[in-house]
Amino acid sequence: MSALSIGDELELTCGAPGHGGFVIARHEGCAVFVRGALPGETVRARVTEVKKSYARASTVEVLVASPYRVPEACAAAAAGAGCCDLTFADPSYQRELKAGVLHDLLVRFGGFDPDAFEPAVEPMPGAPVAGWRHRARLVADGAGALGQHAHRSDAVVVAPCAQLPDVLTDLAAGLRAEPGTEVALVLDDAGAAHAAVPARRGRAAQILAGDALAEYRVGGRSWRIPVGGFWQAHRDAAPRYAQRVAAYTGRYGGEPGRAWDLYGGAGVLAGALVDEGFAVDVVETSGGAIAAGKQSFADEPVAFHRGDVASRLKGLPAPSVVVLDPPRAGAGAAVMAAIAAAGPRAIVHVGCDPAAFARDLGVACENGYRVAELDACDAFPGTHHLEAFAVLVPGREDRRGR
């Protein structure tokens, strides 16, 4: 590769988007991953990192703008925070870029034929493109003010983020914490705002505003989760995902029987399965999530199993349907192979990282399943992230791209 150094400024013509909120340009044969630019733009960018096979750069000036560029909507991102990386693009174009990245990853990481899918990333129905996040974690700067980490840095940027509703922005502005401390904020489904320094081993949570527990609702059920505990970030995500799982199960699950809900948290997707007539085994590592789930499902056919998914599958009753919503790293080859070996009529995969999602689907197809449906939604507007969904059923998948 050419000799590049941190701080060099380059004039670059930008190409396709990559997975991670950047577009790909080339400089004297070297791939440069450019943040803050769109495909087709010519920009002046400053090199921020140099590796053996690529470099990273951040846009300093847009010389030739894309017709899809709009004024930056996030003050925190404009000041260098790592929160929003696409709020300078038209929302419909953001979804187009994400769909292209998902397609590329299905081919490269999943081994699928390029013509197998034409994924579209649909907007969350009725949801705004800003102020959609009802859970966030901020960090205190040297003066104790709450902000976001700068992109790929421990520095803290204190400025409003477009993802947060005004209630949480105002709450954060009025709080102070020990420098370097992480603070969880929640605007719950009862309309109450909370802030806490989450519990750590040997130290109880410190409540800064509101209560220790936040209330979340999906359908006729409710959960009370510690303010620092996991829940979907988008205010409408949990009910929308549950609706999708119910619809997929209704189409592909056959006669109700036993179901697995893996990486199941407090059981939101388990609730969708119960409503379709299934008895559910939930596997989850978090004791707090399991406690909340047991309370919500006290009189329903849901059994919670604490532990790592890979180690808990052997002891579970055979499933007719498996739903999994793994963390960003994905389920991995061993878990996907074990799910396939259990022989369910349908596997519903919910993935928040498209690369890991593509790998998981590829493994399932190597173990006797095929993709019956594949969808994606824009659950993280203004960022490069998306949520992908697939239904796998027994059968041979033609994956000529492998």
Side-chain angles (χ1 to χ4, degrees), residues 11 35 51 77 99 119 122 145 167 169 171 180-181 187 195 213 227 237 253 255 272-273 275 293 329 349 363 400:
E11 182 174 317
R35 180 177 167 84
K51 298 291 187 180
E122 301 295 334
V167 171
T169 297
L171 177 60
T181 299
L187 177 61
L213 299 177
V227 170
E255 193 69 23
L273 293 165
D275 291 344
H349 193 307
V363 174
R400 287 167 290 174

Side-chain angles (χ1 to χ4, degrees), residues 72-88:
E72 173 62 79
C74 180
C83 50
C84 298
D85 46 26
L86 278 177
T87 41
F88 55 88

Side-chain angles (χ1 to χ4, degrees), residues 91 95 120-127 129 234 240 244 376-379 381:
R95 295 191 293 272
V121 177
E122 301 295 334
M124 193 76 80
V129 295
H234 195 293
R240 295 294 183 183
R244 282 179 180 260
C377 72
D378 195 12

Side-chain angles (χ1 to χ4, degrees), residues 271-287:
L273 293 165
V274 168
D275 291 344
E276 290 297 306
F278 288 83
V280 186
D281 291 290
V282 179
V283 180
E284 170 58 37
T285 59
S286 167

